[in-house]
Amino acid sequence: MCRIGAIKSKEFFHPSAALHLMLPQQEGHDNSGFAMVMQDLAGVFSKHKDKPLLSLACTQKGAKLVEDYMEANDFRQLAEWIPRGVKNVKLDIKAMPYYIFRNYDYPEYYRDASEEAKGELLLDTRLALRELLEKQEQGYVYSFWPDVLTLKEIGDPWDIATYFKLWDNNGDLMAKNVVVQCRQNTNYDIVRYAAHPFFLQGYTLCANGENTFYTKNKEYQKSLHRGYIGFESDSQNFLYTLHYVLQELKWPIKYYKHVITPLPFNELSLRSDGAELRAIRQSLGSLEINGPNTVIGMLPNGNIITCCDSKKLRPVVVGGDGTMVAIASEVCGLNAILPHRNQEQDVYPNEREVVIINDALEVERWKQ
Amino acid sequence: METIKTQDITVNDLPWKIECKPDRCTMCGSCVAACTFQAIMPAVERRSITVSTGHRPEPSQKHSAVLTIKQRNNIENACTGCGMCEKICPNQAIKPVRNPDSRFSLLARKGGSPIKRGGRTSLNSGRTLDNIIVGRISQMTDPALDSERHTFDILAPFGRVLMPHELPLSVVNGTLNLTAKLPPVNWIYPIIFSDMSIGALSTRAWEAVALATAYLNEKHNMPVRMSSGEGGMPVKLLESEQLKYMILQIASGHFGWNRIVKAIPKMKVDPAGVLIKIGQGAKPGDGGLLPAAKVADHVQAIRGVPKADLMSPPNHQGLYSIEESVQKMFLSMNAAFKFRVPVAIKCAASATSVSVYNNLLRDPYRICGGFFLDGIQGGTGAANEISLDHTGHPVVSKTRECYLSAVKQGRQGQIPLWAGGGIGLTGNAAADAFKVICLGANGVFLGKILIQLLGCVGNEHGRCNACNTGKCPAGICTQDPRLVERLDIDKGAQNIVEYMLALDSELRKLMAPIGNSSLPVGRSDALVTTDQAIAEKLAIQYVC
Ligand code: SF4
Ligand code: SF4
Ligand code: SF4
């Protein structure tokens, strides 16, 4: 099993908080990787929050390929954070030669474009870079979006943090929202693209569990959107469905749960919105998930959601103290970073529940 | 001594030979009375017996005339192996034995006419599905469900499903509202009792199936639907509440449709659907045939026809293209029920099925509510044997191809796929259904197995299959009132109900280990096969 978590705070915090959230849960993962997506950044990137930030890991040749591509497509570099890895043979990390986190300004002719058009451009650019790097096996591009940074690596989470100097807080890298995962890799070869969280046009998602409708979901999603690619992990299905329901269909968030874990038909017929829910279940049957799962998602507006599958439930708990709310697979993670919170107010979402945390850190829960 | 006339037909030329043990036979005559084919008769044989009655052996030879049961040696009365004589004999004195040296196929085209029979193809009884195993068993990471404890949503759509972005939904105060009517979709049990007409079946047999359908719905909450078959149904049923369990069929003969149309104003409820039959899996392209022998009074009444051979043309009259069928048939059927009843189409599986399915998927009217693919192993009441054995197309790969073709276009699930023709051929319909569903079907339809549950003894090895003769020994495929009496409606319906209840549990037994509580439509990853060619063709995992 993986362990997943998220932190949302009113104040900027350092990513070491995410490590402190995850490390106590170590027994549940096999220390084979660490990954996080940070949103709403401060530090190096604070001046360019409206400009897209590219996160990638690559070889020297890969870096050159990316530079050339970006230049050819009129993206102008604004700011950069290149972690100089701690070279230490004892560290358990399969490091890539280069990690690049770089802010760009939009191409000139896009500066006045609508947000939507910019969103499409950023996606197309990331997909093009991915293809470029993949073809020549020169690296991995994780996200390209304003105010979003993704860091992923294979190895022991503690050592990865040491390598990236995530233990020392020098103020370079701060955020208000983080979604994080430590992995237990059961199903797949260790592939960087298979590591959660996954990101697409402002939507971040990680999941703990196994989606046994992977084939069904994948076969359907493949033709829904050009951004639904890879499928290295069955949890990408959750992200693509989240993106499809919210971004493409533009349905309210509560319908996400109705799509992935629809109510049984006999319950639908008892509800006043039964006709709508039935129509949704009917038309989106291929996006139903199955298997034990817990999902944590982060939306473009910074809201963080969590919910589970409808039968088998992987555990997840939400707790907070007024300035910070955290979600974790196990309560020991919360205890590590929020020891003084009122534990009685911790929320353990049930199989029909969705929990949303907004910017005011209000924890909203509603039943499907 | 007689000279041998080699052209004479003898019992040894026939497909079945009767074995009668004179020492056990009491000459009660029951077998002769029971044999609907007059294949046996009482006869007198001259016997020589050696007897010795005294204290010491004093053998003497006696000649006597004894009564015995003798098999008729002509083609018309050839024993079909139905076994009714054996069933009825109180002394286990008689039974049919398959004759491996039969010359029947050479002799039976007498008079220049093709061999006719019912049943299924005998030459193509290979079973792809038996080479497929449900191989993805949930273990550590995804616990299996408990087939007894968990609730399962075992339902399939009948009706046209829209793409998500086509749904007429608008957001009002954070809630989605339907702003227009959707095409009708009924969620029904993934197994349909498939179209066998009154005419092909005896009224009693048809009623037994209808009774089982109603019972499953009302007593066991299993929304099983039954397709009427071509030729309509009794007015009483058309005007009853139970009509909601029925799918009305219209086939190329358009038999019985008048009566249905006339009954529409008096219908209390809508039928579950309309099924337009373009073709069938058994003897595709051969059209339907109801021999005059089976056109009894009530069949004439229901269909509105005189007593004559009733031929359904192999194609709908005036049906030159798929487009035309979509426009005319569907529109008129839809309109007849004011767009409240889903209309589906049934075709024989064929090399061209995928293009037909694609055309329907792309049809801008979006009114085709189901694609029923019928494979070569489907049963029929009457056919030319040449069509039955040598034409048709297996349904498994074709269903898979149709599904994958829809996947390619992102349109899977829009026109539900229903597969039939050989489902349950070995008696295990749950396993067959489950595997076909994993390959992409939404549900399956059964026909032959239902009449087998009613007592049909026919099989793919040449047993009985005399459904075309009007002499069905089980009282199923006949309109002869004396034969029909043989069928106990209640017992027959009970057999079907019990089979379906077992099937329902068995489906759960397959859904539970793969951890799914709703039907695993298209979950080909749950299947593996030990046959490399099947693995390749169906795009499932090869294992050994
Ligand atoms: S097996 Fe059937 S057809 Fe043959 S003799 Fe017996 S009853 Fe007649
Ligand atoms: S039913 Fe049995 S006992 Fe009676 S005549 Fe036939 S073979 Fe003989
Ligand atoms: S028992 Fe009746 S239905 Fe069955 S094969 Fe024989 S004739 Fe046909």
Side-chain angles (χ1 to χ4, degrees), chain B residues 16-19 30-41 69-72 77-88 94-97 457 463-464 473 486:
Chain B
W16 294 85
K17 291 210 282 195
I18 285 300
E19 233 175 63
S30 299
C31 54
V32 176
C35 178
T36 54
F37 305 100
Q38 277 103 46
I40 45 177
M41 58 183 181
I69 302 297
K70 198 174 161 194
Q71 184 174 0
R72 282 204 166 89
N77 300 101
C79 168
T80 66
C82 73
M84 292 300 145
C85 48
E86 185 179 13
K87 208 176 272 248
I88 202 163
I94 188 167
K95 66 172 186 207
V97 177
V457 294
R463 190 178 190 207
C464 195
R486 290 184 179 186

Side-chain angles (χ1 to χ4, degrees), chain B residues 476-495:
Chain B
I476 296 166
C477 280
T478 174
Q479 303 301 337
D480 180 334
R482 284 170 311 145
L483 297 182
V484 167
E485 276 298 312
R486 290 184 179 186
L487 173 67
D488 178 336
I489 298 190
D490 296 319
K491 185 79 197 31
Q494 191 185 341
N495 284 350

Side-chain angles (χ1 to χ4, degrees), chain B residues 7 15-16 39 112 149 171 309 311 314 365 393 461-462 472 537:
Chain B
Q7 303 300 333
W16 294 85
R149 195 166 52 89
V171 186
D309 277 358
M311 238 81 84
Y365 299 98
H393 192 298
H461 313 291
C472 170
K537 180 70 194 164

Side-chain angles (χ1 to χ4, degrees), chain B residues 96-109:
Chain B
V97 177
R98 185 175 272 113
N99 175 17
D101 301 317
S102 163
R103 297 172 67 233
F104 186 78
S105 56
L106 299 170
L107 303 170
R109 292 178 173 89

